[in-house]
Amino acid sequence: MLAAFSYVRLQRENCAVGEDLEKLKQRLSLLDYLRQQNWVARPAANGSEFVGLCPLHPETRASFYVNARKNLFYCHGCGQGGDLLRFVQLSRHLSFRESLAYLDQQSALTVDPVAVLEQAATFYQQQLDRYLEALRYLEQRGLRDLALIKELRIGYAPGGSLRRHLTAQGYSCDLLQRLGLLNPQGCDAFYRRVIFPCCRGGRVVNLYGRSTGVSFAHRFLPGSKGGLYGWEQVQQCPEVILVEGLFDYAVLWQAGFRHVTCSLGTHLNADQFRQLCDRPRTVYLTFDVDGSGQQASQQLAHRLRTQGIVTRRVLLPDGHDPNSFFVQGGDARQFHSLLEAAQP
Ligand SMILES: [Zn+2]
């Protein structure tokens, strides 16, 4: 997903001076900026101070001090001092306004999208308990285990509140739009959707939003859906159950099947396919029992076998997916029988 954001596409934003300057300093500290510029420093005696050679005048003994807590610098050699903006004015010979525009671009370059997605996921997670419609929806999909809901970090996007939350933390609307969290009109992109963060190596790489209404298709943020969902937990397992939907994944997990992973759709991307083939194992394909699900399942089984992977196709009752199977009264023992009866 990271590659999808074109950070070289710099955009100049119109900054309303005072307020935006403060937000800008939150996004990009003086010390971060200096480090970007390859300033080498060591901690000074005072805990929050750093000292190094002055970038503003030639010197051989370090006399340039940065106070990280106050976000200010002072040079005992040339006598210059001030904040980040002052430093940019002096070092780049720019006017106040030019410096502001320059820094705005710099800060957009340094924001880590993963950190923003993490903030969004946390926010959505905090909303879940506040919306009865969300909890009802989860129950309707057979998800009752609160510990599991917490572990999967399932959240809820009521719509209309993420923008305020994230811009208050200094993230620009421009950035949030580029990440797909806001739509081109500047409104929350996820509206009345249950949210599953998709993680990799413990980092949120995408968000999956399932509409609580019937008529809207599920959706992701722009960019890759990442690898197989929950892959890190099952990678070592000699047998894995592969499902196509996150609610299938969740009910199976809830029923005690922990060797389950999810491809987030019937089409596996190259990354997901590679993951399944990274060592000898048996894959139980448990896609929806409808035309397209079974067709995809057969094709995938064939492709996996050419890579030396043993496949078994789990046949649920007609018209079912693992989620509906459990929602309509199926239990772990019955599902276990289906696994045992799975066809090569
Ligand atoms: Zn100096």
Side-chain angles (χ1 to χ4, degrees), residues 1 5 111-124 157 159-167 171-191 195 204-208 219-222:
M1 176 156 190
F5 306 112
V111 173
D112 175 6
V114 171
V116 188
L117 294 184
E118 176 63 37
Q119 296 266 3
T122 302
F123 176 76
Y124 286 144
S161 50
L162 183 75
R163 176 193 158 122
R164 197 173 347 122
H165 176 73
L166 290 181
T167 52
Y171 296 114
S172 69
C173 289
D174 177 65
L175 171 73
L176 301 179
Q177 275 173 333
R178 271 184 284 152
L179 290 170
L181 290 167
L182 299 184
N183 64 23
Q185 289 75 42
C187 305
D188 286 17
F190 286 129
Y191 180 79
I195 304 290
V204 181
V205 295
N206 205 330
L207 297 176
Y208 169 91
R219 56 170 299 188
F220 293 95
L221 296 177

Side-chain angles (χ1 to χ4, degrees), residues 143-288:
L143 258 184
R144 294 181 192 84
D145 183 344
L146 292 176
L148 173 65
I149 290 170
K150 201 170 167 189
E151 185 170 337
L152 299 183
R153 300 191 60 195
I154 297 172
Y156 184 61
S161 50
L162 183 75
R163 176 193 158 122
R164 197 173 347 122
H165 176 73
L166 290 181
T167 52
Q169 293 179 46
Y171 296 114
S172 69
C173 289
D174 177 65
L175 171 73
L176 301 179
Q177 275 173 333
R178 271 184 284 152
L179 290 170
L181 290 167
L182 299 184
N183 64 23
Q185 289 75 42
C187 305
D188 286 17
F190 286 129
Y191 180 79
R192 297 182 69 181
R193 280 173 190 269
V194 165
I195 304 290
F196 287 76
C198 303
C199 298
R200 192 154 200 180
R203 288 157 68 83
V204 181
V205 295
N206 205 330
L207 297 176
Y208 169 91
R210 178 88 221 182
S211 177
T212 54
V214 280
S215 52
F216 297 103
H218 66 184
R219 56 170 299 188
F220 293 95
L221 296 177
S224 164
K225 59 187 175 182
L228 291 164
Y229 184 89
W231 182 245
E232 279 138 25
Q233 282 109 308
V234 301
Q235 195 177 5
Q236 312 285 339
C237 299
E239 296 185 339
V240 297
I241 302 170
L242 177 70
V243 296
E244 65 176 82
L246 283 173
F247 280 100
D248 301 327
Y249 177 95
V251 290
L252 273 171
W253 183 277
Q254 188 175 255
F257 297 90
R258 298 294 155 92
H259 55 307
V260 58
T261 185
C262 172
S263 50
L264 306 150
T266 54
H267 177 77
L268 273 70
N269 62 31
D271 203 10
Q272 293 176 327
F273 186 76
R274 246 193 324 268
Q275 287 175 319
L276 278 183
C277 301
D278 70 356
R279 70 189 66 190
R281 61 165 59 85
T282 301
V283 177
Y284 287 87
L285 296 164
T286 318
F287 286 179
D288 297 6

